[in-house]
């Protein structure tokens, strides 16, 4: 499924949540939608799912999504507020909605996931803990088997074992039923291994869209003698620096060319990867105006 | 059709059970009252003219406030939901009026057996129209509050006017203020007005919900 967003803006009164954003996503990948609080992730996903009328263009396989029955059938967005469930309803009733209204719904899988996450079918949604409600959202999202499945902060309130169970279930289901999955999360490192491509937004604008591996290769930690590190990084974009005695470590952004790699070897500097999460932090919180 | 079927099976069964419970309560209450004084009014008409319309008003609110976001979250368009909910409201009003009529028949038998007096009640058509309008007004007010927040209060006077039109031919549903005899003077033409009120309420609901965002629930 091809997703095309052109000139998308979302405003709430005087607040601009998404500001003239454009990008395209190819199908059958797991995307990470990363952004700080209030960066516009939920607004963006809501526009992609037809939850709100877009100002600009949002198209799935060339067709506008808002109020387009054929396109909306292909989409499932689960936000942390559990839109597909009413607090007064029992979990079994919530799953019945999915079975009744979604052509692609896999009820056996929904029941299997509910058991995996230990969600009682007779429990009312309002009586579930935050983590269980999030898990119910995951059940709805994955069992929908929608060609475009979006999970917004799906891990909220989940304990660590449940999160790991979620990641395993997500990956297994993606392998068995390839489709486009967009995950928004703050737990970047936990999910980093699942993400094939990353979209980073900040203040309603697209910061970058990149293959996760390519993005990782753009950041390098340079460690060595402080003077040598300073010399090496003088012409590079330095995201952060740490010093301990005469040793210094600097995180630099940008791919190093062959000459730079040779020079690093000559200076005896150690070059290592930096975590996706560190790159994200610095890309959305520029140091000294560098981005 | 899937939405209509699901609404009919889920809410329809609930409404039928509620009607059955209300009838049983009305009968028991009548017998209790008969122990203290003569029975002179139809308890079932109190249910039909007062309780039922508020119940259907709540159904209208529930449809838009609770079920519409769920429909969109399950990949259904607002248009699909609105058409299904409108059809459901028509079916529900008809079934509710039918159950009401059956209730009047059953109550009539009990009253005749006990030699009690019952006051008059409206025609099935009048109840159908009242239920239609009240359900649609519930949908309209819910849509207005959901979309515009506190400014949705402006839907209340509009909804009130639409709703009161439909109660004209229902004994026990209240008399018009200021011009109590006006409905009687106009006669059956009020049925057409009730129908128009239903269409207007639905039309206003559609104007509001067709582009309404599904907001994050707190």
């Amino acid at each position: 499924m091809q997703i095309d967003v052109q000139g998308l803006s979302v405003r709430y009164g005087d607040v601009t949540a998404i500001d003239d954003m454009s990008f395209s996503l190819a199908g059958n990948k797991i995307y990470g939608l990363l952004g700080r609080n209030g960066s516009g992730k939920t607004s963006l996903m809501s526009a992609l799912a037809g939850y709100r009328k877009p100002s600009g263009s949002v198209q799935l396989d060339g067709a506008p999504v808002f109020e387009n029955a054929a396109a909306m059938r292909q989409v499932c967005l689960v936000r942390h507020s559990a839109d597909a469930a009413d607090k007064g309803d029992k979990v079994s009733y919530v799953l019945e909605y999915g079975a009744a209204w979604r052509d692609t719904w896999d009820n056996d899988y929904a029941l299997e996931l509910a058991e995996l996450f230990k969600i009682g079918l007779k429990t009312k949604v309002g009586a579930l803990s935050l983590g269980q409600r999030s898990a119910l959202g995951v059940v709805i999202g994955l069992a929908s088997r929608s060609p475009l499945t979006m999970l917004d902060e799906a891990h909220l309130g989940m304990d660590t074992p449940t999160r790991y169970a979620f990641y395993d279930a997500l990956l297994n289901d993606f392998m068995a039923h390839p489709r486009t999955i967009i995950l928004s999360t703050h737990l970047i490192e936990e999910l980093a291994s699942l993400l094939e491509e990353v979209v980073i937004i900040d203040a309603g604008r697209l910061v970058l869209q990149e293959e996760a591996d390519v993005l990782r290769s753009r950041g390098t930690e340079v460690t060595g003698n402080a003077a040598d590190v300073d010399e090496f990084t003088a012409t590079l974009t330095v995201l952060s620096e740490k010093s301990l005695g005469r040793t210094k470590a600097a995180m630099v952004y940008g791919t190093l060319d062959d000459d730079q790699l040779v020079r690093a070897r000559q200076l005896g500097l150690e070059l290592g990867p930096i975590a996706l999460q560190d790159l994200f932090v610095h890309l959305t919180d520029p140091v000294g105006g560098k981005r | 059709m899937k939405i209509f079927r699901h609404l009919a099976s889920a809410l329809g069964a609930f409404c039928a059970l509620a009607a059955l419970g209300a009838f049983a309560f009305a009968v028991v209450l009548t017998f209790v009252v008969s122990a203290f004084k003569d029975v002179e009014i139809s308890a079932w008409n109190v249910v039909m003219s007062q309780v039922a319309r508020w119940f259907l008003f709540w159904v209208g609110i529930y449809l838009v406030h609770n079920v519409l976001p769920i429909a969109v979250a399950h990949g259904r368009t607002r248009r699909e939901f609105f058409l299904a909910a409108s059809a459901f409201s028509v079916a529900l009003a008809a079934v509710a009026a039918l159950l009401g009529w059956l209730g009047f028949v059953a109550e009539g038998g009990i009253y005749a057996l006990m030699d009690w007096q019952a006051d008059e009640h409206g025609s099935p058509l009048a109840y159908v129209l009242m239920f239609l309008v009240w359900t649609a007004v519930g949908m309209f007010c819910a849509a207005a509050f959901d979309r515009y927040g506190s400014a949705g209060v402006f839907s209340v006077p509009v909804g009130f006017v639409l709703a009161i039109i439909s109660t004209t031919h229902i004994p026990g549903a209240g008399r018009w203020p200021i011009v109590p005899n006006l409905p009687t003077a106009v006669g059956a033409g009020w049925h057409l007005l009730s129908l128009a009120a239903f269409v207007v309420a639905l039309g206003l609901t559609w104007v509001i919900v067709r582009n309404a965002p599904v907001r994050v629930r707190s």
Side-chain angles (χ1 to χ4, degrees), chain A residues 50-53 66-69 72-73 79-81 83-87 93 97-98 100-103 140, chain B residues 2-3 6 10 66-67 69-80 210-218:
Chain A
Y51 277 26
R52 59 174 52 250
K53 187 175 185 181
F66 186 78
E67 286 299 276
N68 178 347
M72 284 189 67
R73 293 270 198 287
R79 302 187 294 196
H80 50 81
S81 53
D83 307 289
D86 194 71
K87 279 187 177 178
Y93 192 66
Y97 267 115
W101 292 4
R102 277 209 180 272
D103 302 329
I140 292 167
Chain B
K2 277 188 170 185
I3 300 174
H6 193 249
N66 295 58
V67 190
I70 294 174
V72 176
H74 279 301
R76 299 286 159 170
T77 63
R78 292 155 185 79
R79 175 185 293 274
E80 286 176 302
R210 63 181 179 159
N211 291 331
V214 178
R215 294 204 169 92
V216 174
R217 297 181 189 183
S218 56

Side-chain angles (χ1 to χ4, degrees), chain B residues 7-54:
Chain B
L7 290 176
S9 63
L11 276 175
F14 174 72
C15 293
L17 282 174
L20 205 62
F23 182 77
F25 180 75
V27 171
V28 170
L29 191 66
T30 308
F31 273 96
V32 170
V33 168
S34 70
F36 301 99
K37 57 183 289 191
D38 293 339
V39 175
E40 295 171 341
I41 63 168
S42 161
W44 185 238
N45 191 43
V46 174
V47 173
M48 286 291 285
S49 61
Q50 294 291 344
V51 181
R53 58 179 169 164
W54 286 106

Side-chain angles (χ1 to χ4, degrees), chain A residues 95 98-99 104-116 121 139 142-145 173:
Chain A
L95 301 186
T104 51
W105 182 264
D106 186 334
N107 205 49
D108 291 338
Y109 184 52
L111 295 172
E112 186 185 314
L113 286 174
E115 194 177 330
L116 173 71
L121 296 179
V139 173
L142 294 185
S144 77
R145 293 269 159 79
D173 195 50

Side-chain angles (χ1 to χ4, degrees), chain B residues 1-217:
Chain B
M1 199 61 190
K2 277 188 170 185
I3 300 174
F4 177 84
R5 271 206 305 269
H6 193 249
L7 290 176
S9 63
L11 276 175
F14 174 72
C15 293
L17 282 174
L20 205 62
F23 182 77
F25 180 75
V27 171
V28 170
L29 191 66
T30 308
F31 273 96
V32 170
V33 168
S34 70
F36 301 99
K37 57 183 289 191
D38 293 339
V39 175
E40 295 171 341
I41 63 168
S42 161
W44 185 238
N45 191 43
V46 174
V47 173
M48 286 291 285
S49 61
Q50 294 291 344
V51 181
R53 58 179 169 164
W54 286 106
F55 178 77
L56 288 168
F57 179 72
W58 169 82
V59 169
I61 292 173
Y62 181 80
L63 285 171
V64 167
H65 180 70
N66 295 58
V67 190
L68 173 59
I70 294 174
V72 176
H74 279 301
R76 299 286 159 170
T77 63
R78 292 155 185 79
R79 175 185 293 274
E80 286 176 302
F81 178 80
F82 177 76
L83 290 174
S86 301
F88 174 70
S89 70
V90 173
L92 182 65
V95 170
L98 176 67
L99 290 174
W101 179 77
L102 290 172
F104 282 125
V105 170
E107 187 191 60
I110 296 170
Y111 273 48
L113 209 63
M114 303 300 294
D115 202 21
W116 291 336
Q117 295 294 314
D119 53 351
E120 61 172 345
H121 53 77
S123 68
L125 177 63
Y127 287 108
V128 169
L129 290 170
M130 180 174 73
F131 294 154
L132 276 178
V133 174
W134 279 66
T135 309
V137 168
M139 291 166 67
F140 164 57
C141 290
F145 276 97
D146 279 355
R147 178 150 189 189
Y148 304 117
S150 55
V153 75
F154 292 110
S155 69
V156 174
V158 178
F160 176 77
V161 169
L162 294 171
I164 202 171
I165 288 171
S166 67
T167 62
T168 303
H169 284 274
I170 307 289
R175 294 168 66 83
W176 276 55
I178 305 173
V179 283
N181 295 325
L182 182 62
T184 314
V186 178
W190 280 96
H191 288 333
L192 286 176
L193 266 181
S194 294
L195 196 61
F198 170 64
V199 172
V200 169
L202 276 189
L204 290 172
T205 305
W206 173 240
V207 167
I208 295 172
V209 301
R210 63 181 179 159
N211 291 331
V214 178
R215 294 204 169 92
V216 174
R217 297 181 189 183

Side-chain angles (χ1 to χ4, degrees), chain A residues 161-209:
Chain A
T162 308
R163 287 205 305 277
Y164 288 175
F166 158 44
Y167 303 150
D168 287 344
L170 174 70
L171 193 57
N172 290 335
D173 195 50
F174 177 74
M175 299 295 278
H177 303 275
R179 55 195 194 268
T180 305
I181 295 178
I182 302 178
L183 305 169
S184 85
T185 182
H186 290 298
L187 301 178
I188 298 168
E189 276 316 300
E190 274 194 15
L191 272 167
S193 60
L194 295 180
L195 306 180
E196 293 179 72
E197 195 166 323
V198 172
V199 177
I200 298 179
I201 64 173
D202 193 36
R205 289 180 169 273
L206 184 70
V207 174
L208 69 79
Q209 178 188 352

